[in-house]
Amino acid sequence: MSDVAKAADVSKTTVSLVLNHVLEARIPDATRAHVFRVARELGYVSLPSTFNRDGSRTSVIGVLINEISAAYPINLLEDLQTAAEARNSRIVIQMTGGTPERERAALVDFRNYGVKGVIYAMSFNAMVTPAIELDMFRHVFVNCQREDGRGHAIVGDSRSGGYAAARHLIERGCRRIATITGDPWQVDTRERLQGFETALAEVNLSPFAVDPGAWNYGHARELTGRWLCETRPPDAIFCHNDFMARGALSALPGSAITCPKDILIIGYDDREVAAWPSPTLSTITLPHAEMAELALEALSGDGEIESARRFVEGELIARESTQRHTPE
């Protein structure tokens, strides 16, 4: 504690109050963050249960995530677990509900567990303002970025995904291309739409329609049914997730339009519904495995992690829903 106080140029009392998380103490956030960083740099961390019988030490990686009730975060956590095991590391997961109080409590637990580094993750791509206690650890952000631009962030490249989806449709002769987006306020929605519009602009096309589907099967079905009633309906639809793409496909029976003969449909995420037949669904993958590996790689060293943005591209998987299209 004396060493930390000297290096941070603060009193031992201040160090004690900060490292013991006495939140009632009137210590500025900037001072708390400074003490956390200095303590971390000096190696101030307890390490229970990290030593193996042979004397070697297994590093423990903490994962903070807002929620794990949906498929997307579960897949990300599975890939983080796999990547950690390959590096002889363990992960400890804390779900925060996105609240600062639970974040702080989880980070204190991480210190007591002997956590070496922290992966701050979100179930969907978002801008975040983490608790200042995160500065106790070397850390990276996965599927999110700090509002203030600091930190090392690893996110899926939704812009390139939207671009790839549009190019795929254009190359198959489509010219009246609609898109059903996610919630307008979400980062991935904006990025996928921008990539989509960029690809169309390169060949002097405008979108047939751009409508928010709010990630919802029923809304996508309703929008598609409305478009099918137009004199010249779209010849392709890019949906921002696979469930909306399935919703769009479900609007076709009962009309004279079939997929892929008359209309092509592509989704995003490569969920299990994409592999369902009649037809199987073309889609863009979420690169969770690659993001997990990059996160563990960034945490594997000992030095300060540089502030950076790393965008990881997904893969376009072409299936039946975008095949056998004859251009006009």
Side-chain angles (χ1 to χ4, degrees):
M1 191 171 292
S2 296
D3 291 340
V4 173
K6 181 178 180 180
D9 195 25
V10 297
S11 69
K12 285 190 288 185
T13 299
T14 296
V15 173
S16 176
L17 292 170
V18 171
L19 296 183
N20 287 293
H21 304 277
V22 181
L23 300 180
E24 296 80 10
R26 296 182 178 179
I27 299 174
D29 285 352
T31 301
R32 289 181 182 271
H34 176 57
V35 171
F36 287 146
R37 285 193 293 270
V38 171
R40 186 192 71 222
E41 290 165 2
L42 293 178
Y44 179 86
V45 62
S46 56
L47 295 170
S49 304
T50 62
F51 287 93
N52 302 317
R53 290 182 178 181
D54 62 2
S56 64
R57 194 169 77 192
T58 299
S59 63
V60 180
I61 304 298
V63 178
L64 280 186
I65 191 163
N66 60 319
E67 57 94 19
I68 56 174
S69 60
Y72 302 105
I74 290 172
N75 289 348
L76 176 59
L77 292 173
E78 287 179 346
D79 287 325
L80 285 169
Q81 178 73 40
T82 300
E85 289 175 350
R87 294 175 176 271
N88 192 32
S89 298
R90 299 202 308 268
I91 63 170
V92 178
I93 301 167
Q94 290 271 22
M95 188 176 68
T96 68
T99 66
E101 295 79 12
R102 293 179 72 177
E103 275 189 19
R104 285 195 291 268
L107 288 163
V108 173
D109 287 343
F110 282 168
R111 189 192 68 177
N112 295 331
Y113 297 158
V115 162
K116 177 184 179 182
V118 171
I119 294 171
Y120 188 107
M122 290 288 286
S123 57
F124 55 87
N125 192 355
M127 305 301 291
V128 298
T129 301
I132 60 171
E133 281 79 2
L134 186 61
D135 282 328
M136 286 191 294
F137 306 92
R138 299 174 75 252
H139 59 270
V140 296
F141 298 91
V142 172
N143 214 32
C144 57
Q145 305 174 57
R146 285 186 65 118
E147 290 275 8
D148 60 13
R150 291 173 47 214
H152 191 95
I154 301 163
V155 295
D157 192 346
S158 283
R159 188 175 305 184
S160 73
Y163 181 89
R167 287 297 311 175
H168 183 69
L169 298 172
I170 292 167
E171 289 167 1
R172 278 149 183 75
C174 300
R175 294 297 178 267
R176 300 187 306 280
I177 308 174
T179 185
I180 304 176
T181 77
D183 292 315
W185 58 268
Q186 289 199 347
V187 174
D188 278 336
T189 295
R190 298 194 298 268
E191 294 292 312
R192 291 173 192 179
L193 179 58
Q194 185 168 358
F196 169 82
E197 292 178 332
T198 297
L200 264 61
E202 287 179 351
V203 293
N204 297 316
L205 290 177
S206 297
F208 175 92
V210 176
D211 277 288
W215 314 113
N216 184 272
Y217 175 100
H219 199 167
R221 177 188 175 96
E222 178 185 344
L223 287 170
T224 303
R226 190 185 311 159
W227 294 334
L228 295 179
C229 295
E230 299 193 17
T231 304
R232 284 173 57 83
D235 58 8
I237 303 175
F238 165 44
C239 298
H240 282 203
N241 74 9
D242 293 332
F243 290 100
M244 290 193 298
R246 280 292 170 196
L249 283 166
S250 74
L252 301 184
S255 74
I257 296 174
T258 62
C259 175
K261 181 177 180 294
D262 307 301
I263 189 170
L264 304 189
I265 296 177
I266 186 170
Y268 210 110
D269 299 343
D270 195 28
R271 302 303 315 154
E272 64 280 358
V273 299
W276 291 356
S278 300
T280 56
L281 184 64
S282 295
T283 188
I284 309 290
T285 65
L286 293 174
H288 286 152
E290 294 85 349
M291 292 162 64
E293 181 58 35
L294 288 172
L296 270 294
E297 178 185 314
L299 288 174
S300 64
D302 294 318
E304 200 66 26
I305 302 174
E306 66 173 349
S307 289
R309 298 291 176 275
R310 303 178 74 172
F311 295 94
V312 187
E313 293 186 11
E315 177 187 359
L316 189 150
I317 298 179
R319 297 193 177 103
E320 294 170 353
S321 68
T322 58
Q323 304 303 314
R324 302 191 305 277
H325 184 77
T326 302
E328 296 180 352

